[in-house]
Amino acid sequence: FHIAMGTEAVWLTSFELEQVFRVDPATNKIVHNLAVDGSPASLVETRGALWVVLQPDDAVARIDPINGEESARVKVGYRPDMIVAVP
């Protein structure tokens, strides 16, 4: 699992299950899970988007945190591992 703090949620990835989970920090309960086409590694939330590293695909995907739809996939090189966003 990888963990990221968002503005209103905590996000977890499951490489094996190909899922991203949204956790409500007030209740510590999973409130939504997003199926990901690929095995998600690390992730980061930015304004209106989740950026998820997809290691086997050598890519980063931009995913809408509300509806779970992937809006972009960018090839970034061999086996990316971590992702960071700065304001």
Side-chain angles (χ1 to χ4, degrees), residues 44-72:
V44 66
E45 181 184 337
T46 62
R47 292 182 200 133
L50 287 175
W51 292 92
V52 181
V53 172
L54 304 172
Q55 275 187 342
D57 295 338
D58 301 332
V60 174
R62 183 183 192 275
I63 299 174
D64 184 302
I66 304 300
N67 64 25
E69 292 183 18
E70 184 178 315
S71 60

Side-chain angles (χ1 to χ4, degrees), residues 2 7 11 14 17 22 24-25 28 31 38 42-43 47 50 54 57 61 63 66-68 71 73 82 84-85:
H2 286 266
T7 54
W11 298 94
S14 173
L17 299 175
R22 180 185 174 126
D24 181 336
N28 292 326
V31 294
S42 63
L43 74 165
R47 292 182 200 133
L50 287 175
L54 304 172
D57 295 338
I63 299 174
I66 304 300
N67 64 25
S71 60
R73 186 175 287 220
M82 301 299 293
V84 177

Side-chain angles (χ1 to χ4, degrees), residues 24-44:
D24 181 336
T27 64
N28 292 326
K29 304 282 184 193
I30 294 172
V31 294
H32 193 62
N33 62 309
L34 310 172
V36 178
D37 183 22
S39 298
S42 63
L43 74 165
V44 66

